[in-house]
Amino acid sequence: MHGWPGSVFEFLDIIPRLTDPARFGGDPADAFTVVAPSLPGYGLSFRPGQPRFSIEAVADCLAHLMTGVLGYPRFGAQGGDWGGFTASRLGVAHPEKLLGIHLNLLSLKPDQPPPANPTPEEARYAEDVAIWLKEETGYQWIQGTRPQTLAFGLSDSPAGLAAWIVEKFRAWSDCDGDVEAAHPRDRLLANIALYWFTGCIGASFWPYYARAHGSWPIPEGRTVDVPMGYAAFPKEIRRPPRSIAEQTYTDIRRWTPMAKGGHFAAMEQPEALAGEIAAFFRSLREATP
């Protein structure tokens, strides 16, 4: 599952690596049936006038899609950005339907207080989060408080829409400030086009509005108890240590520091991410009688 300002276009390189690993030198037994939906309100899952979706509603919708519509009694979920939040929410709200979840962004509150006696790693994380909250959250505030005002401007200007989206690909990717080093221009334009031609930018803001005016997708006092794997990409927007993550995710089975890559991992490092997904779910398959 993708997030904002991404789309299903992120997965064009990773899907064949998951569905046909033998083609890339992998084990045929690791092949997946992949369902990669546009999140409700995004791209191909948007039409004018439809209801807006919070992350809680997205998770409920996709749980119904997988079990009630497609007929899978259980499934695995993977995601980054809002897709990671959705996978985590599925783990809380629909654990009986899940084999496990794999994430490249964790659903941790950025303002949760640090431990009383933090380790050096925990202290660094607290410093990184403080910088993130000060310097990198302007988009969240406007998308979470005045989404319609922004949506009119971006729906009227393709250049404005491109600037709003590409800035995030530049800031959040492992590219040292050269966005086209990580994402060729045609790929950036293809992702922007899914927002432009469907007119979905306003609806894509709605999870931010719902979060700003509601509760965190993982309710206070609850934890994610399904098996979880995590790929820790070095240029991800927030990189918590495992000790912090374990306060929310109680069954971490795999935690892998990755050599290169950022927020849009499926586009930036499809081979590495596909390998991690396969390794995590392989361990669950081997453990199942």
Side-chain angles (χ1 to χ4, degrees), residues 130-180:
I131 294 171
W132 161 261
L133 292 173
K134 180 181 179 181
E135 299 290 344
E136 298 291 342
T137 57
Y139 77 100
Q140 292 184 6
W141 286 104
I142 191 168
Q143 291 176 186
T145 60
R146 298 294 186 272
Q148 285 295 93
T149 305
L150 179 61
F152 275 108
L154 300 187
S155 296
D156 191 55
S157 170
L161 180 69
W164 194 257
I165 289 175
V166 172
E167 188 274 327
K168 293 304 170 214
F169 276 83
R170 179 182 181 274
W172 295 350
S173 297
D174 192 354
C175 66
D176 294 323
D178 179 7
V179 65
E180 290 185 66

Side-chain angles (χ1 to χ4, degrees), residues 1-11 37-48 50 52 55 80-83 139 143 147 150-169 172 186-208 263-264 267:
M1 296 173 287
H2 66 84
W4 187 92
S7 69
V8 290
F9 187 80
E10 293 180 50
F11 305 133
S38 288
L39 296 187
Y42 288 74
L44 305 175
S45 293
F46 170 73
R47 62 183 179 187
Q50 77 179 36
R52 299 297 193 248
I55 291 303
D81 197 271
W82 284 132
Y139 77 100
Q143 291 176 186
L150 179 61
F152 275 108
L154 300 187
S155 296
D156 191 55
S157 170
L161 180 69
W164 194 257
I165 289 175
V166 172
E167 188 274 327
K168 293 304 170 214
F169 276 83
W172 295 350
D186 282 353
R187 295 194 166 214
L188 293 169
L189 289 171
N191 183 71
I192 294 163
L194 278 176
Y195 284 85
W196 177 255
F197 289 115
T198 61
C200 74
I201 191 66
S204 80
F205 294 156
W206 196 257
Y208 292 94
H263 187 69
F264 303 95
M267 288 182 75

Side-chain angles (χ1 to χ4, degrees), residues 70-286:
L70 299 180
Y72 297 104
R74 298 175 74 200
F75 60 95
Q78 199 285 333
D81 197 271
W82 284 132
F85 276 66
T86 301
S88 298
R89 174 66 187 186
L90 284 166
V92 172
H94 303 279
E96 74 287 352
K97 298 176 182 178
L98 289 175
L99 296 167
I101 62 174
H102 185 275
L103 309 173
N104 48 283
L105 182 70
L106 301 177
S107 182
L108 304 178
K109 287 185 177 181
D111 57 353
Q112 69 185 54
N117 297 297
T119 66
E121 190 178 30
E122 292 167 346
R124 281 194 300 273
Y125 174 62
E127 292 171 359
D128 289 345
V129 169
I131 294 171
W132 161 261
L133 292 173
K134 180 181 179 181
E135 299 290 344
E136 298 291 342
T137 57
Y139 77 100
Q140 292 184 6
W141 286 104
I142 191 168
Q143 291 176 186
T145 60
R146 298 294 186 272
Q148 285 295 93
T149 305
L150 179 61
F152 275 108
L154 300 187
S155 296
D156 191 55
S157 170
L161 180 69
W164 194 257
I165 289 175
V166 172
E167 188 274 327
K168 293 304 170 214
F169 276 83
R170 179 182 181 274
W172 295 350
S173 297
D174 192 354
C175 66
D176 294 323
D178 179 7
V179 65
E180 290 185 66
H183 307 290
R185 186 172 302 189
D186 282 353
R187 295 194 166 214
L188 293 169
L189 289 171
N191 183 71
I192 294 163
L194 278 176
Y195 284 85
W196 177 255
F197 289 115
T198 61
C200 74
I201 191 66
S204 80
F205 294 156
W206 196 257
Y208 292 94
Y209 186 88
R211 193 184 77 180
H213 296 84
S215 58
W216 193 254
I218 300 175
E220 191 71 30
R222 298 286 299 278
T223 54
V224 181
D225 302 324
V226 298
M228 187 273 268
Y230 174 57
F233 286 91
K235 298 297 183 179
E236 183 54 272
I237 57 177
R238 292 199 296 273
R239 300 171 298 280
R242 182 165 180 163
S243 59
I244 298 292
E246 287 172 342
Q247 298 173 25
T248 299
Y249 299 90
T250 64
D251 191 6
I252 298 175
R253 304 285 184 94
R254 188 176 180 88
W255 182 283
T256 307
M258 308 299 287
K260 185 174 175 58
H263 187 69
F264 303 95
M267 288 182 75
E268 296 179 60
Q269 298 293 326
E271 182 177 1
L273 181 58
E276 276 302 302
I277 295 169
F280 169 67
F281 284 104
R282 183 189 309 126
S283 68
L284 299 184
R285 185 179 72 242
E286 291 171 349

